[in-house]
Amino acid sequence: MCERKLPIGENLIFEDSAKFIGGSTFLEAPLKGALVLTSQRIFFEEHVGIRNRRILIRLEIPLSILEQVKVSKGGLWRKPVITLVYHSKENVLEQPSFSVRDYEPWRISFSKVEIGSLRI
């Protein structure tokens, strides 16, 4: 992916291409982009434009407010899916889901960070 600048004290854990497939009141599926996990947050960015390509962060969630992360392996005809579970500022249960290429790198990456107040 691209080289990115993160705030001091925040480290990139893992990023890969992903497709938003639903579960959020803030986004409409489908959206293609990248899912990025850092030591402090997870965010989904979309690359927009044809001539003047730019990156838009469509969803950004601090790891401290996540209640659960589900990583499913997928199957023969399905890609692995990551689902992030949290309550929004309006106290609405959000469960945005993303299809990703590989299960194992995401499982390992989530084991390196604290989700909510738990290390998984």
Side-chain angles (χ1 to χ4, degrees):
M1 298 284 161
C2 62
E3 181 180 339
R4 67 181 70 254
K5 295 184 188 212
L6 297 171
I8 294 174
E10 185 174 9
N11 301 308
L12 178 67
I13 304 297
F14 187 69
E15 71 176 291
D16 201 4
S17 61
K19 181 178 177 183
F20 172 71
I21 55 176
S24 173
T25 58
F26 304 108
L27 297 175
E28 288 189 32
L31 291 173
K32 292 182 181 180
L35 194 59
V36 182
L37 177 65
T38 73
S39 57
Q40 297 178 7
R41 61 193 165 130
I42 188 165
F43 57 94
F44 177 72
E45 59 186 22
E46 179 186 23
H47 298 247
V48 296
I50 296 171
R51 298 183 105 198
N52 299 323
R53 297 210 28 104
R54 64 187 191 282
I55 296 171
L56 294 177
I57 295 180
R58 294 289 190 176
L59 184 67
E60 181 175 11
I61 307 164
L63 297 181
S64 61
I65 70 164
L66 282 176
E67 297 170 26
Q68 186 177 16
V69 175
K70 302 173 189 174
V71 184
S72 69
K73 289 186 178 182
L76 184 60
W77 302 107
R78 292 187 346 230
K79 290 186 174 187
V81 172
I82 294 173
T83 302
L84 309 170
V85 181
Y86 69 100
H87 280 85
S88 68
K89 292 177 185 175
E90 296 80 21
N91 203 27
V92 174
L93 182 64
E94 297 285 340
Q95 298 185 58
S97 296
F98 304 86
S99 65
V100 295
R101 286 192 280 190
D102 296 312
Y103 164 81
E104 195 63 21
W106 282 105
R107 186 192 65 76
I108 291 168
S109 296
F110 280 117
S111 72
K112 296 178 181 179
V113 297
E114 286 187 25
I115 303 297
S117 60
L118 304 173
R119 188 170 195 95
I120 60 172

